[in-house]
Amino acid sequence: QSALTQPASVSGSPGQSITISCTGTSSDVGGYNYVSWYQHHPGEAPKLIIFDVNNRPSGVSNRFSGSKSGNTASLTISGLQAEDEGDYYCNSYTSSRIPVFGGGTKLTVV
Amino acid sequence: EVQLEQSGAEVKKPGESLKISCKGSGYSFSTYWIGWVRQMPGKGLEWMGIIYPGDSDTRYSPSFQGQVTISADKSISTAYLQWSSLMASDTAMYYCARGTSGITRIEFWGQGTLVTVSS
């Protein structure tokens, strides 16, 4: 059970859109519509921003959206804001009946 | 209000044992999966394992099988993560997390327990 593959870092300017990919296998991302995304700022607990591939929890900005194609899921953040800086992790349920995280992506708003 | 309250920071020596805790409140503790997540310094989040307190069904990620023990006492709504012999490489922040819809997503997290292992 290997970690899902994410780019180590992405960057964008305020107002722009960025997309973070999350690649797994047919045993995790491709096999289940149970991909979730978390925003993590140092010193805080992670925050759920997308669940079940493309659903937003109540209170999460509609600037965050998710999608999936085959074994790859994606998180898109539109209208980038400085407060979006942080680490982003994808997560998927797996055939081993235990979830797996991606390696994490550091988002910089330049 | 759902809350997960973790035990405080620990400083231990290599070879020592340790048990940290995560107390749930504001929901039916027995009927939701609880997981433990490790974050080593400068590294990403890793699932260590999960437990269903209702029947103590426990699953470990391969990297952690045999390295730690996850347990729960539903009578006091508390989950535990324990080590029998700590190593310096166990130095990390450890989060407990409550699953929703099985363990398909995590809506509630503990505040984290920092474990430092140093001689």
Side-chain angles (χ1 to χ4, degrees):
Chain A
Q1 184 183 6
S2 301
L4 308 176
T5 301
Q6 297 181 231
S9 63
V10 297
S11 62
S13 300
Q16 286 187 332
S17 294
I18 63 95
T19 297
I20 299 171
S21 61
C22 169
T23 301
T25 70
S26 58
S27 295
D28 38 65
V29 174
Y32 304 90
N33 287 322
Y34 293 136
V35 177
S36 51
W37 290 88
Y38 301 84
Q39 179 189 61
H40 192 203
H41 294 127
E44 300 178 7
K47 175 187 177 184
L48 176 68
I49 55 174
I50 294 288
F51 68 94
D52 294 352
V53 176
N54 56 11
N55 290 275
R56 277 188 313 277
S58 174
V60 172
S61 171
N62 59 9
R63 297 185 299 104
F64 294 91
S65 62
S67 63
K68 191 185 86 166
S69 177
N71 295 337
T72 298
S74 299
L75 171 71
T76 297
I77 308 174
S78 59
L80 269 180
Q81 300 178 0
E83 68 204 47
D84 298 331
E85 273 206 350
D87 298 321
Y88 290 82
Y89 294 89
C90 62
N91 181 77
S92 176
Y93 189 72
T94 76
S95 59
S96 300
R97 302 186 302 150
I98 185 168
V100 63
F101 281 112
T105 298
K106 183 176 182 62
L107 169 62
T108 303
V109 181
V110 297
Chain B
E1 179 192 8
V2 174
Q3 289 190 325
L4 297 174
E5 184 67 28
Q6 296 187 229
S7 48
E10 301 273 2
V11 179
K12 307 291 281 187
K13 295 186 184 319
E16 292 185 331
S17 63
L18 176 64
K19 191 173 189 177
I20 63 175
S21 65
C22 169
K23 182 174 177 59
S25 62
Y27 72 99
S28 176
F29 183 78
S30 296
T31 59
Y32 289 86
W33 288 88
I34 289 272
W36 287 96
V37 175
R38 181 178 79 174
Q39 186 173 37
M40 299 175 71
K43 302 298 185 182
L45 304 176
E46 302 173 90
W47 282 105
M48 302 177 72
I50 58 176
I51 187 166
Y52 189 76
D55 61 6
S56 293
D57 182 8
T58 308
R59 305 166 191 172
Y60 294 92
S61 294
S63 299
F64 295 94
Q65 180 80 48
Q67 307 305 307
V68 296
T69 301
I70 292 171
S71 60
D73 184 342
K74 60 186 179 183
S75 70
I76 56 171
S77 301
T78 302
Y80 301 97
L81 175 65
Q82 67 180 84
W83 296 259
S84 59
S85 181
L86 286 161
M87 299 182 293
S89 57
D90 293 316
T91 294
M93 179 70 83
Y94 295 88
Y95 294 99
C96 65
R98 197 207 80 170
T100 299
S101 184
I103 194 70
T104 61
R105 66 183 183 264
I106 300 297
E107 293 183 281
F108 302 99
W109 297 78
Q111 80 276 22
T113 296
L114 180 62
V115 174
T116 303
V117 184
S118 174
S119 55

